[in-house]
Amino acid sequence: MSDAALVLTGIKKHYNQGKPNEIKVLRGAELSVKRGEVVALVAPSGAGKSTLLHIAGLLDTPDAGQVKIAGEDLTGRSDRARTNARRSEIGFVYQFHHLLPEFTAAENIVLPQLAAGVPNAQAHARAVDLMGKVGVADRAEHRPGALSGGEQQRVAFCRALANAPGLLLADEPTGNLDPATSDQVFEALMTLARETGLAALIATHNLELAARMDRTVRLEGGVLV
Ligand code: ADP
């Protein structure tokens, strides 16, 4: 088995915002993220971070290039194969938590496991275990609306990791939080990554947080440097 959780090769992507306004967002981006490695993705806004994360997360297809997840080349595979890979191998976290408001924090982490066929009691035990690792176990029975922003985001991390994916993709996961909370949420993420051998690609504007990750890649002129 390959020890790379994610390999991007020669990724190109353009958007047509009405001819002749073609924007080449990615011009041959290359990246390899090893298992257990946490990589910061830094770029000014509009540079194409979200586009890159969507392609890496199999939510969007590149014009050219190859996306390998856990050693498997998913370029040109069927929608079904890509959806299955996305569900089992990849966790997503966004700037806003997108937790389901009518369910408790624990239920938000249980639901994706039930969808994957995990029995309820086992799913609940895993939810509580994950919440314990990031210091929100005492909030398990509260709905998201009753949690602070930092707690909501920590629950969102637990949900992303509910089905034990090998790769976490995060788009400005602390972008919406004050500095102290952002720090706490970031530490929670690093703890989870270290404990589970998770690979992560985390887009951030925060250079101080980026410096605490294993490595930083910059998106400049459509390539990663
Ligand atoms: P970032 O996440 O770094 O802010 P994005 O990946 O969201 O950047 O966008 C990169 C560029 O591509 C921007 O100029 C944006 O306007 C353009 N873009 C993104 N998505 C689309 C789309 N669906 N259609 C047309 N242009 C898009």
Side-chain angles (χ1 to χ4, degrees):
M1 217 200 204
S2 152
D3 70 358
L6 169 69
V7 181
L8 301 178
T9 316
I11 300 293
K12 296 188 182 170
K13 182 76 180 177
H14 81 283
Y15 291 113
N16 274 319
Q17 296 188 333
K19 286 182 184 170
N21 300 321
E22 184 191 79
I23 320 180
K24 289 185 173 156
V25 181
L26 302 174
R27 299 165 178 256
E30 309 267 335
L31 178 68
S32 177
V33 183
K34 283 187 290 206
R35 285 199 239 174
E37 192 180 31
V38 178
V39 176
L41 172 62
V42 175
S45 87
K49 287 190 303 292
S50 304
T51 301
L52 186 84
L53 288 171
H54 285 155
I55 289 173
L58 308 174
L59 292 165
D60 198 357
T61 46
D63 302 331
Q66 202 185 48
V67 181
K68 267 192 186 177
I69 307 282
E72 193 185 353
D73 181 2
L74 290 147
T75 320
R77 298 284 306 277
S78 67
D79 282 351
R80 194 196 176 97
R82 294 162 58 85
T83 300
N84 286 341
R86 188 163 66 234
R87 287 203 184 130
S88 60
E89 300 291 343
I90 305 173
F92 288 95
V93 181
Y94 301 93
Q95 182 169 358
F96 298 98
H97 58 79
H98 299 301
L99 296 169
L100 299 172
E102 65 276 36
F103 292 97
T104 65
E107 285 166 347
N108 268 277
I109 305 167
V110 164
L111 286 170
Q113 299 180 74
L114 297 184
V118 176
N120 190 48
Q122 193 182 323
H124 199 269
R126 174 157 174 87
V128 171
D129 179 52
L130 283 168
M131 283 187 285
K133 290 190 200 309
V134 296
V136 291
D138 57 337
R139 313 299 282 157
E141 303 312 322
H142 293 266
R143 291 188 182 184
L147 306 183
S148 72
E151 288 168 344
Q152 288 167 345
Q153 207 56 331
R154 282 182 277 168
V155 173
F157 281 133
C158 295
R159 180 187 51 183
L161 301 185
N163 287 323
L167 176 66
L168 179 76
L169 300 171
D171 199 352
E172 301 277 353
T174 64
N176 192 32
L177 304 171
D178 64 71
T181 308
S182 161
D183 206 70
Q184 208 177 30
V185 167
F186 177 74
E187 279 309 320
L189 169 65
M190 290 303 274
T191 303
L192 284 177
R194 298 293 179 234
E195 285 194 10
T196 60
L198 182 74
L201 181 61
I202 304 174
T204 183
H205 284 304
N206 185 328
L207 296 179
E208 193 250 321
L209 289 187
R212 284 154 64 188
M213 299 186 211
D214 298 321
R215 184 156 66 91
T216 296
V217 293
R218 246 167 255 282
L219 185 54
E220 278 176 17
V223 295
L224 290 164
V225 292

